[in-house]
Amino acid sequence: VSIYGSIRVLGCSLVLSVQALYSSNDDVIELNPSNFNREVIQSDSLWLVEFYAPWCGHCQSLAPEWKKAATALKGIVKIGAIDADQHKSLAGQYSIRGFPTIKIFGGNKNKPEEYQGGRSSQAIVDGAMNALRTLVKDRLSGKAGGSSYNNSEMKKDDVVELTDDNFDKMVLDSDDVWLVEFFAPWCGHCKNLEPEWAAAATAVKEQTKGKVRLGAVDATVHQGLSSRYGIRGFPTIKVFRKGEEPEDYQGGRSRGDIIERALDLFSDNAPAPEVLEILNEDVLKKTCEDSQLCVIAVLPHILDTGASGRNSYLEVMMNMAEKYKKKMWGWLWTEAGAQMDLEASLGIGGFGYPAMAAINTRKMKFALLRGSFSETGIHEFLRELSVGRGSTSTLGSGTMPKIHSVDAWDGKDGQVSRLYGRDFPISHRQVLGSASTHTQRI
């Protein structure tokens, strides 16, 4: 989805329509995996590129200054912007950790520099002109070239050489996902693809920890493989996943396109996120701050459900975490009464247990599950949020509530005398509530 249109981002409320940061009338050039290589890497121009997220307040504040700088530098230095929240492959390739991040792509496009200057239009223009002067001086002294690739910096050994002898063991018997290029040494398109394939191989290896791999087969030498997979032209790229028929790669041929497809394949095969018990503030903070959305369930007390009942609720959550794993959301649960401040801030108690809320901690907004605590009910709830529907509220006073440290559930049925990590007389259970008034069954 282009930043020049209406964007829906799960991060400004839960899902809210975000006004475009830029428009087609601005001099800021929209960049994405399909055009980044052509526009930036293969260009002789100096580029300042902003990596941003639409929900980021600092990015929204920078936008008018970025536009002014782009207009002032038009025809001199190119100013671009990448929605790093949408194009995670490019953000990962350049190790983007926060927003906005500005990179200067100068003489060596493979090693951009971090912009460290101010965020006013004047400061950006000054920084761009200083970088331009440095680039011109380097070219005069012969230190910087044009847009050609520095092949010595590419780790070609990250592209695995595949042969008739090692293909089955390396690819077909592997649990990893493979993207395999079938090439011919005399093929011009193959030669053009080579630096892109090598750069993508290195980035994909790092970002997937080797779970997605890139290989290459010289089809003129290893004709058995070429024949087996019906290779008719070069280069041909195929995707191999264990136990499945190979499929043709249909994406673009730039490193950004290849990386983006590889990361999609990685997420398809990645395990679902863990469903974690809220044991302390650190668990909630880390899970929710690292995610655009945090799904939190408040389950009935163990005395009301027993271990089997609780496990059935957790199984529903794990199945939904698997279903929505590409969203990279956080999944948490707590026992009724263990985190009373959290329950109060969400207004959960009045709806019975089990209850569920989806929280956006960046905007301190949340929505409550109103339907059944079932796969169907939760799917409807999350689907509505994903398309921008469903009512949301501000979380408590606009800040995260106090989270208490509790003992982890031991997986067993509860003991009446032990509640929330402390010992109580049996009569206290009646004060804290019982299944007849607080428990909603699946």
Side-chain angles (χ1 to χ4, degrees):
V1 179
S2 168
I3 63 168
Y4 297 89
S6 174
I7 306 175
R8 289 194 183 279
V9 177
L10 231 161
C12 281
S13 129
L14 278 170
V15 180
L16 292 178
S17 293
V18 180
Q19 295 298 316
L21 296 188
Y22 308 103
S23 74
S24 57
N25 296 324
D26 299 320
D27 294 310
V28 177
I29 300 170
E30 178 188 10
L31 298 168
N32 56 56
S34 296
N35 69 5
F36 188 82
N37 181 61
R38 180 182 70 253
E39 294 283 352
V40 180
I41 302 299
Q42 294 182 354
S43 168
D44 287 328
S45 301
L46 178 74
W47 278 82
L48 267 68
V49 177
E50 174 201 4
F51 294 80
Y52 75 95
W55 45 259
C56 160
H58 292 300
C59 303
Q60 293 164 11
S61 299
L62 175 63
E65 301 301 313
W66 200 241
K67 293 176 191 178
K68 290 178 187 176
T71 299
L73 292 166
K74 188 174 182 179
I76 304 168
V77 174
K78 293 194 174 183
I79 301 295
I82 296 169
D83 182 345
D85 204 39
Q86 180 183 359
H87 303 299
K88 293 183 174 64
S89 60
L90 276 176
Q93 189 174 340
Y94 293 103
S95 302
I96 304 303
R97 295 289 180 266
F99 305 118
T101 293
I102 300 171
K103 297 274 188 180
I104 301 173
F105 290 80
N108 185 349
K109 293 294 198 298
N110 293 313
K111 287 189 175 180
E113 299 175 4
E114 190 102 2
Y115 171 78
Q116 302 288 359
R119 299 300 169 92
S120 69
S121 57
Q122 184 62 58
I124 294 164
V125 169
D126 291 344
M129 296 307 295
N130 287 336
L132 188 60
R133 280 191 287 270
T134 299
L135 175 62
V136 172
K137 288 180 181 178
D138 286 346
R139 285 181 178 174
L140 280 172
S141 64
K143 292 180 182 178
S147 60
S148 60
Y149 292 103
N150 185 346
N151 288 327
S152 64
E153 292 176 0
M154 294 182 181
K155 299 178 182 178
K156 291 186 178 181
D157 55 356
D158 287 332
V159 177
V160 180
E161 182 181 354
L162 299 168
T163 68
D164 285 326
D165 293 332
N166 70 7
F167 189 88
D168 287 6
K169 182 177 180 181
M170 294 287 293
V171 178
L172 301 185
D173 295 340
S174 172
D175 292 326
D176 301 329
V177 178
W178 283 81
L179 277 73
V180 178
E181 174 202 3
F182 294 82
F183 72 94
W186 45 260
C187 161
H189 291 302
C190 302
K191 292 176 182 177
N192 291 335
L193 177 62
E194 182 182 3
E196 302 302 302
W197 199 245
T202 299
V204 169
K205 180 180 179 181
E206 292 174 354
Q207 293 178 46
T208 69
K209 294 181 171 57
K211 295 299 183 182
V212 179
R213 308 182 72 181
L214 272 63
V217 175
D218 184 340
T220 64
V221 174
H222 306 289
Q223 296 181 13
L225 286 172
S226 181
S227 176
R228 188 199 303 185
Y229 294 109
I231 306 302
R232 297 288 181 266
F234 307 112
T236 292
I237 301 171
K238 288 190 175 286
V239 179
F240 291 84
R241 287 183 270 201
K242 190 172 185 178
E244 299 181 20
E245 288 296 313
E247 60 185 81
D248 290 333
Y249 169 85
Q250 303 289 356
R253 300 298 173 91
S254 73
R255 67 188 68 185
D257 291 323
I258 297 163
I259 293 168
E260 188 161 45
R261 177 64 176 131
L263 293 181
D264 283 342
L265 290 166
F266 174 64
S267 65
D268 286 343
N269 289 272
E274 288 186 273
V275 178
L276 301 173
E277 184 179 4
I278 302 175
L279 301 177
N280 50 54
E281 185 177 1
D282 288 343
V283 172
L284 184 134
K285 186 175 181 181
K286 185 178 189 308
T287 303
C288 292
E289 285 187 354
D290 289 347
S291 308
Q292 287 182 324
L293 195 69
C294 218
V295 182
I296 299 178
V298 182
L299 303 183
H301 190 271
I302 192 63
L303 294 176
D304 291 335
T305 63
S308 62
R310 175 168 291 180
N311 283 327
S312 68
Y313 290 131
L314 291 175
E315 183 178 1
V316 169
M317 290 192 71
M318 288 186 284
N319 289 340
M320 298 313 296
E322 170 68 32
K323 187 179 186 70
Y324 284 91
K325 67 181 181 180
K326 284 190 176 182
K327 298 289 189 181
M328 305 299 288
W329 293 341
W331 295 79
L332 297 168
W333 71 275
T334 185
E335 182 177 76
Q339 302 294 345
M340 294 300 293
D341 292 329
L342 177 61
E343 289 189 46
S345 68
L346 297 172
I348 275 180
F351 295 100
Y353 304 121
M356 176 174 283
I359 302 176
N360 183 317
T361 57
R362 291 171 181 142
K363 290 296 179 180
M364 292 299 159
K365 298 283 187 179
F366 74 94
L368 286 175
L369 170 68
R370 303 289 180 175
S372 65
F373 196 99
S374 64
E375 291 187 32
T376 300
I378 295 171
H379 172 62
E380 284 297 310
F381 169 57
L382 296 177
R383 186 179 64 81
E384 289 289 295
L385 292 179
S386 296
V387 297
R389 295 196 292 267
S391 71
T392 64
S393 304
T394 299
L395 185 66
S397 60
T399 59
M400 288 300 291
K402 178 178 176 58
I403 299 298
H404 302 278
S405 295
V406 298
D407 294 335
W409 178 45
D410 59 10
K412 301 176 182 179
D413 289 327
Q415 298 297 320
V416 174
S417 62
R418 190 173 189 275
L419 298 178
Y420 318 137
R422 291 176 290 171
D423 292 330
F424 289 96
I426 293 176
S427 59
H428 277 68
R429 179 171 181 266
Q430 298 169 346
V431 175
L432 291 164
S434 65
S436 61
T437 57
H438 293 289
T439 301
Q440 172 194 28
R441 301 294 183 186
I442 290 181

